[in-house]
Amino acid sequence: LEMPSYKLTYFDIRGLGEVARQLLHLSGTPFEDDRVHNDDWTSGAMRKESTPFGQLPVLEVDGQPMATSLAINRYLGKQFGFAGKTPFEEALVDALGDQWMDYFEEVKPFLLTSQGLWPGEVTEEQRQRAADGIAKHLPLFEQFAKDHGTFGHLVGTSLTWIDLLMTDHFRSLLAYFPDALNGYPALSGVRRVMGQHPKLREWRNAHDQPF
């Protein structure tokens, strides 16, 4: 069987496109890493209108576009064996991904404004909302990992895309909240194991970006 061609279009940051890039790299799958500059995106209306939902990332599989980061992560995770070993594990990974998006909405305004990706100055309200989101959700994620994972993995005994998603996010979060993972040994363990993964280190060394 001929392998499909993959093209991932996203901004030239880690953000919501990074897990898909990492999944393609981990699986040894060649892909076109199409990195859009923000000016081209905002001024080139045609490009925005050509995406399914007017947003990035977009994954093209043999030219067929697929949108939204979680759908892309789930698809690639299943394609390459990073979605969980059983249907129940897959559902647990999906559930954690959905809950993570709720959490990310809380911290996103602070993180994106801090990185200069959103206009304006960081407000105390943004910082407090992020801190509240961390305090609310990280205990839930920690307990979930203890209930359903093993050391170094949030679900089951193998690497899944949710491990990549959280680990990559923690890289950004800890720059602003350096104590965020204190008291969370399971989450810290996932970060440590992912940080030592040779193919992930290879990717990060070649494509290191602040966000």
Side-chain angles (χ1 to χ4, degrees):
L1 278 175
E2 194 175 325
M3 183 180 282
S5 69
Y6 295 99
K7 176 182 178 180
L8 186 77
T9 301
Y10 189 61
F11 302 109
D12 192 19
I13 57 173
R14 294 191 348 259
L16 294 176
E18 188 67 6
V19 170
R21 293 175 185 141
Q22 290 179 359
L23 286 166
L24 287 157
H25 177 72
L26 282 176
S27 64
T29 305
F31 71 103
E32 183 182 343
D33 190 3
D34 178 26
R35 295 181 181 240
V36 179
H37 290 285
N38 209 29
D39 295 348
D40 297 339
W41 177 252
T42 47
S43 58
M46 277 311 292
R47 183 152 201 166
K48 200 167 194 171
E49 287 167 9
S50 70
T51 66
F53 301 131
Q55 61 186 28
L56 297 177
V58 169
L59 175 71
E60 291 176 52
V61 183
D62 287 338
Q64 292 287 317
M66 177 189 307
T68 82
S69 61
L70 284 195
I72 292 168
N73 295 345
R74 287 171 174 143
Y75 174 79
L76 292 176
K78 286 181 180 177
Q79 290 293 103
F80 303 133
F82 298 111
K85 295 298 183 195
T86 66
F88 191 73
E89 281 190 7
E90 283 186 17
L92 290 174
V93 171
D94 285 351
L96 204 45
D98 290 340
Q99 189 63 32
W100 186 87
M101 288 303 277
D102 288 350
Y103 154 75
F104 189 61
E105 285 302 310
E106 302 293 312
V107 297
K108 181 168 72 172
F110 171 79
L111 285 179
L112 294 189
T113 308
S114 298
Q115 291 284 347
L117 299 169
W118 277 14
E121 296 292 312
V122 176
T123 66
E124 185 52 39
E125 185 184 1
Q126 286 174 336
R127 175 180 279 280
Q128 189 58 50
R129 185 181 174 195
D132 291 345
I134 293 165
K136 176 184 173 185
H137 285 92
L138 262 55
L140 301 178
F141 298 150
E142 175 74 10
Q143 189 60 49
F144 194 99
K146 287 176 176 172
D147 290 344
H148 300 294
T150 49
F151 183 79
H153 300 299
L154 289 156
V155 175
T157 59
S158 62
L159 193 161
T160 61
W161 62 262
I162 197 67
D163 293 330
L164 300 178
L165 182 69
M166 290 226 183
T167 301
D168 194 70
H169 169 69
F170 291 149
R171 293 178 68 197
S172 303
L173 186 71
L174 293 170
Y176 300 98
F177 295 92
D179 301 331
L181 292 184
N182 287 9
Y184 299 117
L187 298 180
S188 298
V190 173
R191 178 172 173 256
R192 191 149 70 248
V193 168
M194 293 300 104
Q196 294 165 350
H197 192 293
K199 277 192 81 81
L200 276 177
R201 286 172 69 166
E202 174 187 273
W203 174 261
R204 284 198 297 264
N205 289 339
H207 304 277
D208 196 39
Q209 292 164 307
F211 185 77

